[in-house]
Amino acid sequence: DAKTTQPTSMDCAEGRAANLPCNHSTISGNEYVYWYRQIHSQGPQYIIHGLKNNETNEMASLIITEDRKSSTLILPHATLRDTAVYYCIVRVYGRSSGDKLTFGTGTRLAVRP
Amino acid sequence: NAGVTQTPKFRVLKTGQSMTLLCAQDMNHEYMYWYRQDPGMGLRLIHYSVGEGTTAKGEVPDGYNVSRLKKQNFLLGLESAAPSQTSVYFCASRHSDRNSYNEQFFGPGTRLTVL
């Protein structure tokens, strides 16, 4: 699985967009990009995933560069409840080996009032 | 739907004691996972299961055993607890359906301290 690189921490003002970058320069053609977040003391929560097209759901948008070597998770209107650690994970999807996810240390996002 | 539940929520053990952590899910998921998370670190996979009666080792399996006798339950055992096993333990599950795209559902965690 490709390795990911994320900033250790970021902050943004409440109500503004939070843009969380992730570098995955060694990603291969059949690897998806997944984002999870972990609010303090809770279990991680799935946010969104994508292969090569930009994706949007009720929680966030995922922008993947054309060469797929990096991506950005966008929280369009951050709230205090979005304060969490955000994990970018790259993984081949398939039924082999239980589809294990490898969590790094993620980006700690602090949303300021 | 309770989702993924974990029992107990907190536990303190003495070195050498044994215990079992229970994970239960009511979503009829085939895959289940046990992770540990140490302070300031990401999650590390201990063991996982792709179906009832099957288990496999993850990244950090030493000192732990697991069993999946029923589809809805995944047990994590510590036969002889050590202080290095002080951690927060998370259980997760997911469908094997291709359309689930690796979305894992996590439990609330068990905070274990080994003295």
Side-chain angles (χ1 to χ4, degrees), chain A:
Chain A
D1 296 337
K3 181 178 178 179
T4 62
T5 303
Q6 300 177 251
T8 303
S9 63
M10 297 181 63
D11 65 42
C12 75
E14 188 176 20
R16 306 298 290 269
N19 297 287
L20 291 87
C22 179
N23 182 286
H24 31 79
S25 58
T26 60
I27 194 170
S28 59
N30 60 349
E31 289 184 308
Y32 285 75
V33 179
Y34 299 89
W35 284 84
Y36 280 74
R37 74 179 182 183
Q38 186 175 23
I39 296 171
H40 180 62
S41 300
Q42 299 180 18
Q45 175 191 25
Y46 165 84
I47 302 173
I48 198 168
H49 74 278
L51 182 62
K52 56 183 177 181
N53 298 321
N54 297 339
E55 302 288 346
T56 296
N57 63 20
E58 64 278 2
M59 290 183 67
S61 294
L62 174 60
I63 308 298
I64 302 174
T65 58
E66 191 170 344
D67 64 7
R68 301 206 328 119
K69 293 184 177 183
S70 66
S71 60
T72 301
L73 178 74
I74 301 173
L75 307 178
H77 306 287
T79 70
L80 298 179
R81 289 176 296 179
D82 292 321
T83 292
V85 177
Y86 288 78
Y87 298 98
C88 171
I89 300 166
V90 174
R91 182 70 172 95
V92 175
Y93 178 76
R95 303 188 70 170
S96 64
S97 303
D99 293 322
K100 303 182 293 293
L101 297 174
T102 300
F103 288 81
T105 53
T107 295
R108 186 172 298 275
L109 175 68
V111 180
R112 297 176 279 105

Side-chain angles (χ1 to χ4, degrees), chain B residues 22-25 32 67-75:
Chain B
L22 170 64
C23 175
Q25 52 92 6
M32 296 187 75
S67 65
R68 184 98 182 269
L69 298 179
K70 293 183 179 181
K71 185 177 184 179
Q72 64 268 33
N73 296 337
F74 195 27
L75 305 178

